[in-house]
Amino acid sequence: MSDKNFTKPFYIFFLVIPQGLSQGFVTVALPYLLTQQGFSVAKTSSIIALAVFANVWRFLWGPVVDLSLSLKKWFWIGSAISMLSILVLCSIQLNVKDDLFLSVIVFFSQVAGTFTLLPVNGFMAKRIDENHKGKASGWYQAGSLAGVGTGGGVGLWLTVHYDATIAGIFICVLSVLSSLVIFFIQDIQHQKKQNIAKEIQSMGKDLIAMFKVPITLFTIFLIVVPIGSGAASNVWSAIAVDWKTDADTVALVTGVLSGLVSAIGCVIGGFLADKKGVWIAYLLVASFCALVPMVMALMPYQPWVYISGVLVYNLGTGMVYAGFTAVVLYAIGKDNVATKFALLSSIGNISVAYMTVFDGWSHDRFNSKMMLFLEGIAGMIFIIICMFILRRLNAKKLMVRN
């Protein structure tokens, strides 16, 4: 492929923002709004967990994108449906009795968001030079986190001070503006080499072969256990009242500031992956993420504890996300990268979903501090287990990619 077909890694940052904006509003602004309307933290976390599960099942419709329309067309389709669903979400009344309908809208909005991410994964695989894919991975995570911070923080602020509809319009306008960068990227058409049945069969065989490799099996175990899930980020706004933190502070801290420090964390995480190796770096930053909530649980219920705790926690989450991307890219190799990336990324969201539910349950069963402490303990236990497994695999020289 000639150099003119490659694109700048920085463009990936903008292409991921629309999905991040949608996710940010759902996981940051919406929990606060729900609890204000009488939803319990457990019910709220269950609804948000359903939104997270949209990413878990992304691999099911990944082949649809790979084997049909061009990547640009799918990107615009996903963006349009995602924006429409957010506008609907911002227009309806949030009543506890309508929790099922609300759950469906939330889930549908995030499914649409995945249809913008899948094409971006394809662009990363085929429109980024091999020597620059590390940078693209960093911008990918930074764009996602920046979008989440903006959609959550600014979305919450606009909702509290003006109206949810205004917040929805803001998210849609910003999504369109950031999406315009796609015009600077050469489209990728589906090249049909054989009939659909045979293409799907060939893809299936390649995926099955991938799961027989020890490095892939360890990667899957690593990303499904409760290590560095960052699940508390999905309930920070719902439990802010325990630390006597007002809505404006919550919007600023969980939104823009968290997006900024998370993006910085992505850069740090990528640097550590290059210096320490993807496996050690991932476990190191995951350990950091486990210790932060445990320390926060020992501190008093004061606004400054909430502010500093949330920011440091999200710094660690950014590092984990960058480490996660590095681990996945290392494990999948160079064949059928887009499909494999979608599959492992989907699996990686499982821990975020069940830990979000676990955090909500432990909060309602005990309190906010115990919720944080249990999340940290669970992380440390499985980090130790993963270190033991990694040591055994390295001793048998099974962690080298073919």
Side-chain angles (χ1 to χ4, degrees):
M1 185 181 291
S2 61
D3 291 343
K4 66 179 181 180
N5 292 325
F6 290 127
T7 191
K8 297 179 180 179
F10 184 57
Y11 290 165
I12 301 298
F13 174 85
F14 295 99
L15 295 184
V16 181
I17 284 180
Q19 190 276 336
L21 290 169
S22 174
Q23 180 182 339
F25 183 82
V26 167
T27 60
V28 177
L30 187 60
Y32 181 86
L33 298 176
L34 291 178
T35 53
Q36 293 298 304
Q37 294 299 319
F39 286 75
S40 68
V41 173
K43 174 64 71 174
T44 298
S45 61
S46 295
I47 294 175
I48 304 308
L50 188 61
V52 174
F53 259 113
N55 274 301
V56 173
W57 299 108
R58 180 173 39 172
F59 72 95
L60 291 178
W61 42 88
V64 176
V65 174
D66 285 335
L67 303 177
S68 55
L69 304 176
S70 71
L71 294 188
K72 281 190 177 182
K73 289 180 179 178
W74 275 118
F75 178 84
W76 286 116
I77 290 173
S79 296
I81 298 176
S82 179
M83 287 185 286
L84 179 61
S85 58
I86 287 296
L87 285 177
V88 171
L89 190 62
C90 292
S91 302
I92 62 176
Q93 294 293 324
L94 302 178
N95 297 319
V96 177
K97 63 180 181 179
D98 297 325
D99 61 321
L100 178 60
F101 175 72
L102 177 63
S103 298
V104 172
I105 296 298
V106 167
F107 181 74
F108 192 75
S109 71
Q110 299 311 295
V111 169
T114 64
F115 274 94
T116 66
L117 286 184
L118 287 167
V120 175
N121 297 153
F123 286 129
M124 289 177 65
K126 300 181 180 181
R127 287 289 181 258
I128 300 294
D129 186 273
E130 287 294 332
N131 296 323
H132 296 153
K133 285 188 176 179
K135 294 179 181 178
S137 298
W139 287 120
Y140 178 85
Q141 292 294 347
S144 177
L145 293 170
V148 169
T150 303
V154 179
L156 176 59
W157 188 86
L158 288 173
T159 300
V160 171
H161 291 276
Y162 295 94
D163 183 77
T165 303
I166 298 298
I169 294 174
F170 165 78
I171 290 174
C172 291
V173 171
L174 193 55
S175 294
V176 171
L177 292 177
S178 61
S179 297
L180 295 178
V181 172
I182 201 171
F183 289 113
F184 295 99
I185 300 177
Q186 185 175 337
D187 200 1
I188 298 176
Q189 303 287 340
H190 169 57
Q191 302 296 324
K192 188 174 181 180
K193 300 179 181 179
Q194 50 191 346
N195 62 56
I196 294 296
K198 290 185 177 180
E199 287 189 331
I200 294 176
Q201 183 180 23
S202 177
M203 180 181 295
K205 289 181 178 179
D206 188 47
L207 292 176
I208 292 174
M210 180 183 71
F211 284 108
K212 294 180 180 180
V213 180
I215 191 175
T216 303
L217 297 177
F218 177 71
T219 300
I220 293 174
F221 179 78
L222 189 70
I223 61 181
V224 299
V225 296
I227 293 178
S229 66
S233 297
N234 295 330
V235 295
W236 281 134
S237 60
I239 63 176
V241 63
D242 289 340
W243 282 269
K244 308 176 183 65
T245 309
D246 60 74
D248 286 345
T249 302
V250 173
L252 177 63
V253 173
T254 63
V256 177
L257 291 182
S258 285
L260 177 61
V261 298
S262 295
I264 294 174
C266 288
V267 177
I268 297 174
F271 174 81
L272 289 175
D274 289 337
K275 291 294 183 180
K276 302 294 185 180
V278 294
W279 311 109
I280 297 301
Y282 187 81
L283 293 175
L284 282 175
V285 297
S287 298
F288 177 81
C289 281
L291 290 173
V292 171
M294 294 173 67
V295 172
M296 188 176 176
L298 299 176
M299 305 295 286
Y301 281 125
Q302 294 293 332
W304 69 269
V305 175
Y306 179 86
I307 295 171
S308 58
V310 170
L311 292 180
V312 176
Y313 183 91
N314 283 291
L315 176 69
T317 300
M319 291 191 290
V320 167
Y321 285 172
F324 169 84
T325 303
V327 165
V328 171
L329 287 175
Y330 184 86
I332 64 178
K334 297 182 179 180
D335 296 327
N336 296 308
V337 176
T339 300
K340 292 177 181 177
F341 187 93
L343 179 56
L344 292 185
S345 295
S346 297
I347 295 174
N349 281 286
I350 293 176
S351 64
V352 182
Y354 72 70
M355 283 303 294
T356 299
V357 174
F358 176 78
D359 280 353
W361 172 84
S362 58
H363 173 277
D364 287 6
R365 180 66 176 81
F366 303 104
N367 52 50
S368 293
K369 289 189 175 183
M370 182 58 71
M371 180 198 82
L372 294 174
F373 187 76
L374 290 176
E375 179 180 305
I377 285 293
M380 291 304 300
I381 290 174
F382 279 95
I383 287 171
I384 294 173
I385 293 174
C386 286
M387 291 180 67
F388 175 77
I389 296 174
L390 180 61
R391 183 177 180 181
R392 294 292 298 272
L393 291 175
N394 278 329
K396 296 180 179 180
K397 299 182 179 180
L398 296 175
M399 294 303 291
V400 179
R401 185 180 62 195
N402 294 326

